[in-house]
Amino acid sequence: EMAELTNVAYFTAKPGRSGDLGDELLQLVAPSRNEEGCLRYEIHQSTDVPDVWMVLEDWRHTSDFKLHMSTPYVEAFMAKVPELCVEDVEICGYQQRSPQA
């Protein structure tokens, strides 16, 4: 099924907090994947800069992503971002243009 929205979110951990940030991000995977509109939810850590983490997510509809951002677990995680990260999360939205594989 084609995603209406693909998001790439970047997080940069404060020095010494990369492991904590990764743990928190990984806790989002199971509940996020269980959301009705979630087609993909993956956590990646940079091989070049280990403090940089990326969330790659596909949503059936933009409205599904908006619901996701209002879930208690995402709101709780976002409240911890200032403590774990050097700056606010950067979320970039994309729409797939190539045909489905």
Side-chain angles (χ1 to χ4, degrees), residues 7 17 26 28 36-37 43 45-47 50-51 55 61-63 68-69 79 84 92 98-99:
N7 282 328
R17 300 306 303 271
L26 288 167
L28 299 175
E36 193 181 335
I43 309 297
Q45 185 177 19
S46 171
T47 55
D51 282 345
V55 182
H61 303 293
T62 303
S63 56
H68 166 72
M69 290 303 291
L84 295 170
C92 305
S98 57

Side-chain angles (χ1 to χ4, degrees), residues 56-97:
L56 185 60
E57 46 190 328
D58 286 335
W59 297 94
R60 188 170 293 133
H61 303 293
T62 303
S63 56
D64 293 321
F65 172 67
K66 289 183 177 154
L67 282 172
H68 166 72
M69 290 303 291
S70 69
T71 58
Y73 48 90
V74 171
E75 289 188 339
F77 167 76
M78 292 303 285
K80 295 174 188 169
V81 166
E83 168 201 334
L84 295 170
C85 298
V86 295
E87 57 199 4
D88 279 345
V89 57
E90 179 190 357
I91 302 177
C92 305
Y94 297 89
Q95 193 167 32
Q96 183 174 332
R97 296 302 186 204

Side-chain angles (χ1 to χ4, degrees), residues 2-34:
M2 199 91 159
E4 187 174 283
L5 177 66
T6 296
N7 282 328
V8 186
Y10 297 98
F11 300 85
T12 303
K14 288 182 177 175
R17 300 306 303 271
S18 189
D20 297 328
L21 174 60
D23 289 344
E24 293 288 344
L25 285 167
L26 288 167
Q27 286 180 37
L28 299 175
V29 173
S32 298
R33 286 180 178 171
N34 282 330

